[in-house]
Amino acid sequence: MLSSVVIFIIPFICLSVSNHLPSYLPRCYLDDPQRDECILRAFNKLRPNVANGIEEIGLPPLNPFVLPELILRQDTPNANFTIKVLNFTVAGLYKYDMKKFQYNPETKAFHFRIEYETIPITGDIEVSGHVASIPLSGKGFGRAVLGPVNATFDVKGNIKTSRGIDFYSTHNVKVDLDISDGSYYVEQLFNNNQTLVHLANEMLNANSVMVSEAVTPTLERLAEKGVKRFMKTLTRIPYYELFPLSR
Ligand SMILES: *[C@@H]1O[C@H](CO)[C@@H](O)[C@H](O)[C@H]1NC(C)=O
Ligand SMILES: *[C@@H]1O[C@H](CO)[C@@H](O)[C@H](O)[C@H]1NC(C)=O
Ligand SMILES: *[C@@H]1O[C@H](CO)[C@@H](O)[C@H](O)[C@H]1NC(C)=O
Ligand SMILES: *[C@@H]1O[C@H](CO)[C@@H](O)[C@H](O)[C@H]1NC(C)=O
């Protein structure tokens, strides 16, 4: 499928990592045969901390996760739109259920899968284009509740050594989202023409599975950007501090 997705995020969020990992972060040893299970358990146990963000590893607060300004452009046969979102707010990102975690120390590849029951997103929007043949234009407010969502992450990288210290260096992040359905709601678009707003909402929800599928590429690229940014901060921590050896 010919497709293009362009994303601008303003301003650049930048967190710094501290020298010490918080004590509540579990230690999963690189050479532990149960390493992946250890990390999977730890990840699901960390939900309350993740909600407030973990500054020491560069994780922003996820309850909610807010981007002040965002421009998304998708040009695919089933969705062709540009949307500017102010106060892009994603609630409940910390309500994840990690189902699978694999790290291959040989290839330095991460593979994990997370399930969400729902992901509510809101924002002040300025949109033009169409999604699943439903025209959308104008300025207003938008809300989407996506779910259930099945998210698969593949992260590739290698080890880089700087001043004698090993660091993980991320090369590629791929996110696959399986968004089963969603509910959609817009306000004030079409110069606040109530007839057209009402019609758009009806069409969005009558075709919610198609709409969810149509916007998936944009959400995948957005998630990849988020993970890349997080990895960039996380991997300022030396590799053997993230993955200590048992002895
Ligand atoms: C998307 O819209 C733009 C501008 O309206 C148009 O130039 C482009 O051909 C469209 N792409 C598709 C795949 O329909
Ligand atoms: C941003 O959106 C959230 C959720 O809809 C809302 O509670 C908050 O007041 C908004 N903030 C601004 C500055 O509009
Ligand atoms: C999520 O994806 C996995 C692997 O592709 C699959 O086995 C599982 O049934 C999916 N779960 C849901 C809720 O779609
Ligand atoms: C709303 O839009 C429809 C379709 O374009 C138009 O027929 C109608 O007059 C508009 N209503 C108002 C109040 O502008």
Side-chain angles (χ1 to χ4, degrees):
M1 185 174 77
L2 183 73
S3 92
S4 79
V5 174
V6 181
I7 296 171
F8 299 100
I9 298 173
I10 311 149
F12 208 89
I13 292 178
C14 197
L15 290 163
S16 58
V17 298
S18 82
N19 294 325
H20 300 287
L21 292 178
S23 56
Y24 58 78
L25 282 185
R27 284 289 180 276
C28 297
Y29 296 109
L30 187 62
D31 51 350
D32 178 356
Q34 306 285 310
R35 179 196 56 242
D36 288 351
E37 291 80 358
C38 172
I39 292 172
L40 179 74
R41 259 198 320 275
F43 207 93
N44 284 331
K45 233 174 36 196
L46 279 175
R47 254 179 234 118
N49 308 96
V50 167
N52 299 319
I54 305 177
E55 212 186 318
E56 293 90 338
I57 60 169
L59 187 75
L62 294 186
N63 182 29
F65 175 71
V66 181
L67 290 173
E69 186 172 343
L70 176 69
I71 296 169
L72 305 168
R73 199 170 288 153
Q74 181 173 324
D75 185 347
T76 56
N78 60 355
N80 190 354
F81 62 85
T82 301
I83 186 167
K84 179 173 163 188
V85 190
L86 298 181
N87 189 24
F88 177 84
T89 305
V90 188
L93 272 186
Y94 65 100
K95 291 183 186 162
Y96 52 78
D97 188 3
M98 189 179 267
K99 293 290 193 187
K100 186 173 173 188
F101 181 90
Q102 287 174 330
Y103 176 60
N104 184 333
E106 308 291 317
T107 61
K108 310 288 183 288
F110 292 89
H111 173 81
F112 53 98
R113 193 163 65 74
I114 293 178
E115 287 183 15
Y116 284 99
E117 271 173 38
T118 57
I119 303 180
I121 303 174
T122 57
D124 298 316
I125 59 174
E126 194 174 337
V127 62
S128 70
H130 75 85
V131 174
S133 303
I134 303 162
L136 294 172
S137 76
K139 238 174 139 159
F141 172 80
R143 183 173 68 227
V145 181
L146 310 171
V149 177
N150 209 344
T152 310
F153 301 78
D154 283 288
V155 179
K156 297 207 166 91
N158 69 349
I159 300 296
K160 284 223 171 104
T161 305
S162 165
R163 294 195 207 110
I165 300 170
D166 289 348
F167 293 90
Y168 186 87
S169 166
T170 309
H171 288 175
N172 191 47
V173 176
K174 185 159 188 326
V175 178
D176 276 298
L177 296 179
D178 182 354
I179 306 170
S180 324
D181 204 351
S183 67
Y184 300 91
Y185 175 74
V186 292
E187 262 174 26
Q188 294 151 25
L189 299 185
F190 312 102
N191 287 319
N192 209 12
N193 180 319
Q194 293 305 313
T195 313
L196 294 178
V197 168
H198 183 75
L199 187 64
N201 280 317
E202 274 200 338
M203 285 168 73
L204 286 170
N205 289 294
N207 300 285
S208 58
V209 171
M210 260 161 56
V211 170
S212 306
E213 205 175 301
V215 298
T216 294
T218 286
L219 296 170
E220 285 174 336
R221 300 301 85 78
L222 189 58
E224 281 165 4
K225 275 215 155 173
V227 174
K228 267 184 207 155
R229 189 159 298 174
F230 170 56
M231 288 302 289
K232 212 169 177 174
T233 321
L234 177 69
T235 53
R236 278 187 229 147
I237 298 168
Y239 183 67
Y240 288 107
E241 242 173 85
L242 291 173
F243 280 131
L245 294 166
S246 60
R247 69 198 118 77

